[in-house]
Amino acid sequence: MSDTLEHNGWEGTYVERRASSKEWLKENVMPTRTKTVAYAKSLFPIFTWIYRYNWTWFIGDLIAGATVGVVVIPQGMAYAKLAQLPPEFGLYSSFVGCAMYFMFATSKDITIGPVAVMSTLMGHILQDVLPKLPEYKDEPWIIAGCMSVVLGCIVSALGLLRLGFIVDFIPLPAIAAFMTGSALNIAMGQIPTLMGNNSAKGYNTRGPTYLVFGNFFKYIGHCDINAAIGLTALFLLYLIRWGCKYGTRRWPKYEKVFFFATTLRTAFVILLYTLISYLANRNHRDHPRFSILGTVPRGFKHMQVPTVNSHILSVVAGKIPSAIIVLVIEHISISKSFGRVNNYTINPNQELIAIGVTNIFGPFFGAYPATGSFSRTAIKSKAGVRTPLAGLITAAIVVIAIYALPPVFYYISNALLAAVIIHAVGDLISSPATIRSFWRISPFEFIIFWAGVIVSIFSSIDNGIYTSVAASAALLLFRIAKARGKFIGIVRVYSQLSENAKTAIASKSLKDVDTSAEGRRRVFMSLDGVAEGTNPSVKPEAPPAGIYIYRLNEGYLYPNAVHFTDHMVAEIKAQTRPGILNPYGSLGNRPWNDPGPRHKTESDINSSLPLLRAVILDFTGVSNVDITSIQNLIDVRKQLDRYSDNDVAWHFSGVGSPWVRRALVAGGFGSSDSATRTVFSVANVGVSEDRDVEWHRHQQSVQNRKLTADREPSIESLVVPMLSAKHPLFHVDLDEALAAAELELGL
């Protein structure tokens, strides 16, 4: 049969051009002038909106920036203490993060600065490495600055190389596990400071969470007046938040008032208790009645070129991976979340560059590693921020605080800061409803979540991160490797309208649904009874004897290639008979692992089973193949040819990628010496211009009178074949593939 298509006197062929490696390199790797210019512009998103800046935007940014500024000052100092650094370093990090982010931002809501989890991790790192670097014992910020520069360079490189997709490999349960474990670790570590027994001899508040918890009760007798400050401040913070939430529900029209009240609760409580501390300690500066912050230097006293040397790097190298994970996933997950809430899309690669640049230049001002803050981002979003320029307002307020407020900072209670930290990290703990949803959606990931939390509690935050990420990666690889295809059957269906739909159609003088034989269609579904949510009484019909349709529902790659084909071959052999009774001849040539009787006879073979004639592979779900998987398919083809003692026909449906087609063709699939395209799927690409008048006349005649099939005029349309005639064993869909296999086999 000819490989050309004849239709209404028109004849044509289509031959697909082979995918070229040169074209792929040109499209995906080689830079062009347009791509280079677009890449350069993408590095500074500010230029896409700054020229449209207006007073309305400025008012929104001013309110949001000032609100965040009031919040970030006490939080920054509190988080610096988590990092084992003096409080002023939290202010430096807050300033740099807010001042630099706006130039590289693709999120209007995110606020970069010191955060609880990163600060705690930094504190653990300093605790571990300072004994090995005793020369920096009095200046631990030098190590923190070195870490910041290194982390910034690595994260910037990930963004510049457009590797932001790596973040997508860390799933939500792993993120939730490390956030929850970190929050519990941080909160438990602050309770001794809150209660005043942190100074008890032998009490290590930096140990694993379970030890800190147990030792708290061991040293509970050392609690002092700090507990009164800390507990009442913590109670007041939660009371104000609860009251504002209740007021919002009770009086919705004052929602904005209650929002700013709950947002500024931290600043209010700090001012209130700082006033109390001043009144109590103003005459006892040398021996305060309870623990206070003490002297905070005015201005940027630690501006310097950061120290980065091989000695420090060799000691902290093992801590870098966990720090990168925290920097990246916290920032990207927060920015993506608020982007979805506020209906805009962030660029993960550009966000990585923003984090990187901030952490590279931050140490010049005395900053330590910083990333996106969930609590301050939520406040900024609700305050009505309009553009990333709001960060400059926040940075200006922080600078004012650095130069004008150090005398006030002197009297801030340490127990009060502990209450602020505990209150802030409480929102990072996954709620019972969230954890319950993990169980309902994926029990395996529910277990991974708890594994990460438990390791964080009984070991450390970085080990908890590694556990949850490694377990999630192992689960992903297992699911890929153990992917199993489905044998497909046929269900003949037609569409049926409801009575309401029929009435609506009739009212518009439209044609009803065709339920005749010509109007029916074939649907291809799994044969194993696990249908795609269909009525269980619907039983798919198996394809004609000797033809097997197998659907691959994952990428066909080296981890799962053997698993796919082993399942397919085993099922085919169980449902067919071999082409030769005893293909090995003598008993000595028979493989040792071939089961069955010593001497096979015809009675040992179920002669009612069909011979294998054709295999149809549904590649609709396959986006990539590799050398291993194609070689495995070649081996299976040879195996089944020997088993059936004939050349089994291999048809492929839904091969969408030209590179997958190229790989299959290289493996000898898609065509054969005897195969020709017996079934053409064609598409009408329009009526030729010289037949437009005839076509419209025909359409008018159909509307005026009902024509019978033998009287309906033949209208010549421009039709073209869908697939290349060069590869007749590739098909548009399973319907065409099955029809071609049946014609080829004379069924």
Side-chain angles (χ1 to χ4, degrees):
M1 180 178 176
S2 173
D3 283 340
T4 60
L5 171 68
E6 296 186 7
H7 183 76
N8 289 343
W10 177 84
E11 182 178 306
T13 59
Y14 164 65
V15 177
E16 181 184 23
R17 190 174 61 175
R18 181 173 176 267
S20 166
S21 300
K22 183 178 179 180
E23 290 179 356
W24 185 89
L25 290 172
K26 185 177 180 180
E27 293 176 2
N28 298 280
V29 178
M30 300 299 293
T32 62
R33 181 176 180 180
T34 302
K35 290 181 179 179
T36 303
V37 171
Y39 177 81
K41 287 182 178 179
S42 71
L43 297 178
F44 298 95
I46 185 174
F47 294 119
T48 64
W49 55 265
I50 190 64
Y51 62 89
R52 293 182 283 113
Y53 203 79
N54 53 68
W55 281 106
T56 302
W57 290 4
F58 175 73
I59 297 300
D61 289 344
L62 179 64
I63 295 172
T67 304
V68 174
V70 174
V71 174
V72 75
I73 293 170
Q75 280 192 354
M77 293 190 293
Y79 293 158
K81 294 180 71 65
L82 288 178
Q84 299 287 288
L85 296 172
E88 62 267 22
F89 286 89
L91 297 177
Y92 303 155
S93 298
S94 301
F95 163 74
V96 176
C98 295
M100 298 195 68
Y101 175 68
F102 78 97
M103 292 185 290
F104 308 95
T106 61
S107 168
K108 68 181 179 64
D109 300 297
I110 203 78
T111 299
I112 293 182
V115 296
V117 178
M118 189 66 235
S119 299
T120 301
L121 184 61
M122 194 69 243
H124 288 312
I125 292 173
L126 292 177
Q127 184 182 22
D128 292 341
V129 304
L130 279 175
K132 303 174 185 177
L133 299 168
E135 62 270 30
Y136 300 110
K137 184 177 181 180
D138 296 329
E139 296 178 318
W141 51 84
I142 293 179
I143 301 174
C146 177
M147 281 285 292
S148 181
V149 172
V150 173
L151 296 177
C153 290
I154 294 173
V155 174
S156 293
L158 292 176
L160 291 170
L161 295 174
R162 295 303 188 247
L163 298 176
F165 66 89
I166 295 175
V167 181
D168 296 332
F169 284 93
I170 303 177
L172 177 60
I175 297 174
F178 114 81
M179 296 291 280
T180 300
S182 300
L184 294 173
N185 183 291
I186 294 166
M188 194 63 243
Q190 290 302 303
I191 287 178
T193 304
L194 183 84
M195 301 298 292
N197 64 346
N198 59 311
S199 58
K201 187 177 181 180
Y203 192 179
N204 179 18
T205 61
R206 290 283 173 176
T209 305
Y210 79 100
L211 282 179
V212 177
F213 178 76
N215 288 332
F216 170 77
F217 294 98
K218 180 179 178 180
Y219 295 100
I220 196 169
H222 293 80
C223 294
D224 54 22
I225 193 174
N226 287 283
I229 300 293
L231 288 175
T232 55
L234 185 61
F235 173 78
L236 186 57
L237 286 168
Y238 278 106
L239 179 64
I240 294 174
R241 187 170 77 169
W242 176 84
C244 290
K245 284 185 177 180
Y246 175 79
T248 301
R249 295 193 303 268
R250 183 69 175 80
W251 298 285
K253 63 180 180 179
Y254 298 110
E255 179 181 1
K256 207 69 174 178
V257 175
F258 287 116
F259 162 71
F260 282 105
T262 190
T263 297
L264 300 176
R265 67 185 182 277
T266 301
F268 167 74
V269 171
I270 285 181
L271 289 175
L272 174 63
Y273 279 81
T274 301
L275 176 61
I276 295 173
S277 175
Y278 169 74
L279 295 175
N281 296 306
R282 60 181 175 173
N283 297 322
H284 305 277
R285 290 175 61 93
D286 295 334
H287 302 284
R289 295 180 176 179
F290 45 82
S291 177
I292 58 176
L293 199 58
T295 302
V296 176
R298 189 191 304 270
F300 292 91
K301 297 297 184 182
H302 298 280
M303 291 185 67
Q304 60 181 351
V305 177
T307 301
V308 180
N309 56 51
S310 59
H311 182 42
I312 297 177
L313 292 178
S314 64
V315 176
V316 303
K319 307 293 182 180
I320 291 176
S322 59
I324 289 176
I325 292 174
V326 173
L327 276 181
V328 170
I329 65 176
E330 189 165 4
H331 182 96
I332 299 299
S333 61
I334 292 170
S335 57
K336 282 186 176 181
S337 175
F338 281 90
R340 288 190 294 267
V341 169
N342 295 313
N343 196 30
Y344 64 86
T345 303
I346 64 114
N347 182 346
N349 296 305
Q350 187 59 32
E351 291 299 316
L352 292 180
I353 295 173
I355 305 172
V357 171
T358 299
N359 283 285
I360 289 172
F361 289 98
F364 288 88
F365 295 86
Y368 68 94
T371 187
S373 166
F374 177 81
S375 59
R376 297 194 295 273
T377 298
I379 290 170
K380 194 175 180 182
S381 176
K382 291 181 180 178
V385 65
R386 303 302 295 269
T387 73
L389 206 63
L392 282 183
I393 308 298
T394 303
I397 292 176
V398 173
V399 170
I400 293 172
I402 289 173
Y403 281 95
L405 298 182
V408 178
F409 296 154
Y410 181 90
Y411 291 99
I412 294 178
S413 165
N414 285 318
L416 172 62
L417 290 180
V420 169
I421 293 171
I422 294 172
H423 182 65
V425 301
D427 293 332
L428 301 180
I429 299 175
S430 298
S431 66
T434 300
I435 298 173
R436 189 165 56 249
S437 70
F438 290 167
W439 171 255
R440 291 176 176 174
I441 296 171
S442 176
F444 286 111
E445 292 182 288
F446 173 82
I447 295 172
I448 290 174
F449 167 80
W450 280 113
V453 172
I454 291 171
V455 171
S456 297
I457 292 173
F458 287 91
S459 180
S460 62
I461 293 176
D462 47 350
N463 287 339
I465 294 171
Y466 294 144
T467 298
S468 56
V469 171
S472 298
L475 179 61
L476 174 64
L477 291 175
F478 178 82
R479 286 173 170 171
I480 293 174
K482 294 300 181 181
R484 176 173 290 188
K486 300 286 186 181
F487 281 93
I488 302 301
I490 307 159
V491 179
R492 289 173 171 79
V493 301
Y494 60 86
S495 299
Q496 179 64 54
L497 297 180
S498 66
E499 292 301 323
N500 291 337
K502 290 180 179 179
T503 302
I505 289 175
S507 66
K508 296 179 181 179
S509 300
L510 298 177
K511 186 180 178 182
D512 200 351
V513 174
D514 185 6
T515 60
S516 64
E518 292 77 9
R520 300 186 184 188
R521 65 185 189 277
R522 296 194 293 190
V523 174
F524 294 85
M525 296 168 40
S526 172
L527 278 171
D528 63 3
V530 185
E532 296 80 1
T534 57
N535 191 326
S537 61
V538 177
K539 304 297 182 184
E541 173 188 345
I547 299 178
Y548 292 88
I549 306 175
Y550 192 68
R551 175 175 291 159
L552 286 75
N553 44 25
E554 295 275 357
Y556 184 53
L557 301 167
Y558 71 91
N560 57 22
V562 173
H563 194 69
F564 268 130
T565 54
D566 281 355
H567 173 241
M568 181 182 71
V569 171
E571 288 294 323
I572 288 176
K573 285 187 174 182
Q575 298 178 28
T576 59
R577 70 178 190 270
I580 300 178
L581 177 63
N582 187 5
Y584 312 113
S586 66
L587 184 62
N589 292 329
R590 181 175 166 185
W592 62 272
N593 61 345
D594 186 4
R598 182 175 176 82
H599 296 284
K600 289 188 176 182
T601 63
E602 292 186 5
S603 60
D604 299 318
I605 303 298
N606 186 351
S607 59
S608 64
L609 295 177
L611 289 170
L612 175 62
R613 307 286 299 280
V615 174
I616 301 174
L617 293 183
D618 184 358
F619 263 47
T620 306
V622 177
S623 57
N624 291 287
V625 295
D626 55 28
I627 295 173
T628 305
S629 61
I630 293 298
Q631 184 59 50
N632 177 259
L633 207 57
I634 294 171
D635 295 340
V636 168
R637 178 177 59 183
K638 294 177 180 178
Q639 178 186 5
L640 292 180
D641 285 350
R642 288 194 304 267
Y643 169 76
S644 61
D645 193 33
N646 69 77
D647 293 335
V648 177
W650 286 74
H651 296 260
F652 293 83
S653 163
V655 185
S657 167
W659 293 97
V660 175
R661 289 194 295 273
R662 169 176 162 156
L664 289 171
V665 170
F669 297 97
S671 61
S672 66
D673 295 336
S674 60
T676 58
R677 187 167 291 281
T678 55
V679 179
F680 285 88
S681 288
V682 299
N684 185 356
V685 296
V687 181
S688 59
E689 293 182 1
D690 59 342
R691 299 186 180 95
D692 277 348
V693 176
E694 183 182 355
W695 172 259
H696 288 296
R697 187 181 301 116
H698 165 66
Q699 289 293 89
Q700 186 64 37
S701 68
V702 171
Q703 294 178 7
N704 294 336
R705 57 192 176 87
K706 181 178 178 62
L707 297 173
T708 59
D710 58 339
R711 292 176 56 200
E712 188 168 352
S714 175
I715 301 300
E716 296 187 58
S717 303
L718 291 179
V719 293
V720 295
M722 294 285 290
L723 295 182
S724 173
K726 191 176 181 180
H727 303 118
L729 300 182
F730 290 158
H731 305 280
V732 171
D733 56 19
L734 287 176
D735 209 15
E736 179 192 311
L738 181 57
E742 290 173 336
L743 281 174
E744 183 180 359
L745 299 176
L747 300 178

